[in-house]
């Protein structure tokens, strides 16, 4: 998502756990007038939408967005209903992701691992660095514990929605696949309630989800990424006086960036998957290695850091106002990081090669584990172990009623204690994270577009042309209210999507029981290798 990958507009009421945005691209001349006119139109709309979607409730004196409670409560309900499936079948999920239960001739376009990488490219981003930095300041070390708990619960939400994404997908005559909340809400509700209510409710929910996802794809998943990428590159190359500081630099940069995006998205999900299956692991490994460098350089501090995380989670004197405050900070960071329940990931997972929908549900539950439990936790552990003066001062400032410091600065300072060159790595990460998010959301938006306007060559080419044009627009115009409104409508999708998941979770349980029964009976076998031109298989109980 946009602010998870980079940073949210600072004025949004729900941005308390994020970070200040990078300097936005400057505009001069006639473009400034166009931007001002658009912003004036969208400002009141954005303010109303953000207040509605991210409206806050107060518990024990701690305020937090309703959408956070909506996502976490749903994750807890799904976890209980499916009997802690994310823990009991974690090893099976890893095996399926490696292709050990799926043959190449099964229907779909991409492998399980490619689907996982494509979905992760839309969630793993700079928010894992900057957002965690602010969470550590507001919630202290204890926020890490609750962030992990929320990530573990969110695994089951991904399991539910991505199983449905495959079950109700549509495979077209040309072999391409369309899926996501717009399909399982429309078809699933009609199947679950075979009457006028089911058909009408499903169609209305599907259209709403499509409109919201499409708007976010064009604005938050595209324009915001382009704008912030240029701002970061401009900043590290000398700012307004550097090579990217002159008039026209943003336009040229935008055209080049649009060209890169076009080269990838023209090939569809297969092309996107071939890029993300290399890019996402590379980004993740690079970042985890940087974390390990700090941790290993301070190996003697690890026991104390772990103790601080566990004790801080239950410390009534916590920075954010006791146990409830620390818990909310951790939950909020996890919920906004992994997008479990938003409905975006099922679009990518629907394209997987499989004839058993629940297999992709198992693979999808690995997403929050990677995004939140591993990457966000590594960031938090790095901040706690480095124990910089900036972090300690930030916690003291927040406890005294002041504002949290810039999140990316807190985390980056922790890395700089061992890796003084880390800011340069961060710049590269911004570019890679932004591009990976843009190409993934291009696909998400395309599926929402074709659901609303029909699937045809003309329709798809028109969408891709609009998407690439908006890459350029996003580079030269900031359009702050537009981008803030995009974030609001994305999380509005979560309200629609989770209502549908509640109604459809019995269908997912039926799929799960059927698949596991086939595994136990030996009807479904594990593929372990190839020999003599044929598949060598063994039957296992999982």
């Amino acid at each position: 998502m946009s602010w998870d990958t980079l940073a949210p507009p600072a004025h949004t009421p729900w941005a308390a756990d994020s970070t200040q945005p990078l300097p936005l691209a400057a505009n001069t001349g006639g473009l400034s007038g166009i931007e001002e006119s658009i912003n004036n139109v969208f400002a009141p709309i954005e303010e109303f939408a953000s207040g509605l979607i991210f409206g806050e409730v107060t518990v024990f004196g701690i305020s937090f967005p309703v959408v956070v409670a909506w996502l976490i409560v749903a994750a807890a309900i799904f976890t209980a209903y499916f009997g802690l499936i994310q823990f009991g079948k974690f090893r099976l999920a890893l095996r399926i992701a490696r292709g050990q239960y799926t043959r190449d001739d099964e229907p779909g376009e991409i492998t399980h691992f490619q689907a996982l990488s494509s979905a992760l490219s839309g969630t793993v981003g700079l928010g894992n660095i900057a957002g965690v930095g602010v969470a550590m300041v507001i919630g202290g070390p204890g926020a890490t514990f609750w962030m992990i708990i929320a990530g573990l619960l969110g695994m089951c939400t991904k399991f539910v929605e991505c199983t449905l994404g495959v079950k109700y997908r549509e495979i077209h005559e040309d072999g391409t696949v369309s899926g996501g909340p717009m399909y399982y809400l429309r078809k699933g509700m009609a199947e679950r309630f075979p009457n006028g209510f089911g058909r009408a409710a499903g169609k209305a929910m599907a259209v709403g989800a499509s409109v919201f996802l499409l708007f976010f794809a064009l604005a938050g998943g595209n324009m915001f990424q382009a704008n912030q990428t240029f701002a970061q590159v401009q900043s590290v190359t000398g700012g307004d006086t550097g090579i990217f500081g002159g008039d026209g630099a943003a336009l040229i940069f935008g055209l080049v960036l649009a060209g890169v995006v076009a080269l990838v998205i023209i090939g569809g999900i297969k092309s996107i998957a071939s890029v993300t299956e290399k890019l996402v692991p590379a980004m993740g490994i690079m970042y985890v290695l940087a974390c390990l460098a700090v941790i290993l350089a301070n190996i003697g501090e690890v026991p104390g850091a772990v103790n601080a995380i566990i004790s801080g989670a239950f410390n009534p004197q916590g920075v954010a106002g006791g146990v409830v405050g620390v818990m909310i900070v951790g939950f909020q960071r996890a919920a906004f990081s992994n997008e479990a329940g938003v409905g975006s990931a099922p679009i990518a997972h629907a394209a997987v090669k499989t004839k058993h929908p629940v297999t992709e549900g198992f693979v999808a539950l690995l997403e929050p584990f990677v995004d939140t439990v591993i990457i966000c936790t590594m960031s938090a552990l790095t901040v706690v172990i480095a124990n910089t003066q900036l972090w300690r001062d930030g916690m003291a400032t927040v406890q005294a009623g002041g504002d949290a410091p810039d999140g990316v600065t807190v985390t980056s300072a922790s890395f700089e204690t061992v890796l003084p060159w880390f800011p340069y790595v961060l710049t590269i990460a911004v570019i890679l994270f932004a591009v990976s998010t843009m190409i993934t959301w291009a696909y998400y938006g395309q599926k929402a577009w074709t659901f609303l306007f029909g699937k045809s060559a003309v329709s798809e080419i028109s969408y891709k042309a609009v998407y690439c044009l908006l890459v350029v627009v996003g580079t030269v115009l900031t359009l702050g209210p537009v981008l803030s409104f995009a974030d609001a409508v994305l999380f509005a999708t979560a309200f629609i999507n989770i209502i549908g998941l509640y109604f459809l979770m019995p269908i997912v349980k039926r799929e799960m029981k059927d698949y596991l029964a086939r595994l136990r009976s030996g009807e479904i076998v594990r593929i372990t290798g190839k020999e003599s031109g044929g598949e060598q298989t063994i039957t296992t109980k999982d």
Side-chain angles (χ1 to χ4, degrees), residues 108-134:
E109 296 186 78
I110 57 178
T111 67
H112 287 292
F113 183 75
Q114 288 176 326
L116 178 63
S117 297
S118 297
L120 275 171
S121 70
T123 59
V124 175
L126 194 59
N128 297 87
I129 304 172
V132 171
V134 174

Side-chain angles (χ1 to χ4, degrees), residues 227-289:
N227 190 273
Q228 297 286 260
T229 301
F230 175 71
Q232 181 71 16
V233 171
Q234 184 185 60
S235 175
V236 299
T237 55
D240 292 339
T241 60
I243 60 174
F244 287 98
D247 291 337
L251 177 61
I252 295 172
F253 185 90
L255 290 170
V256 173
L257 187 59
V260 172
V261 171
L263 287 174
V264 179
I265 68 174
I266 286 175
I269 188 61
K270 291 183 179 179
S271 176
I272 293 171
S274 67
V275 172
T276 56
E277 73 171 336
K278 301 177 182 68
L279 188 59
V280 171
M283 292 188 302
I285 291 171
M286 177 184 69
Y287 186 68
V288 169
L289 287 177

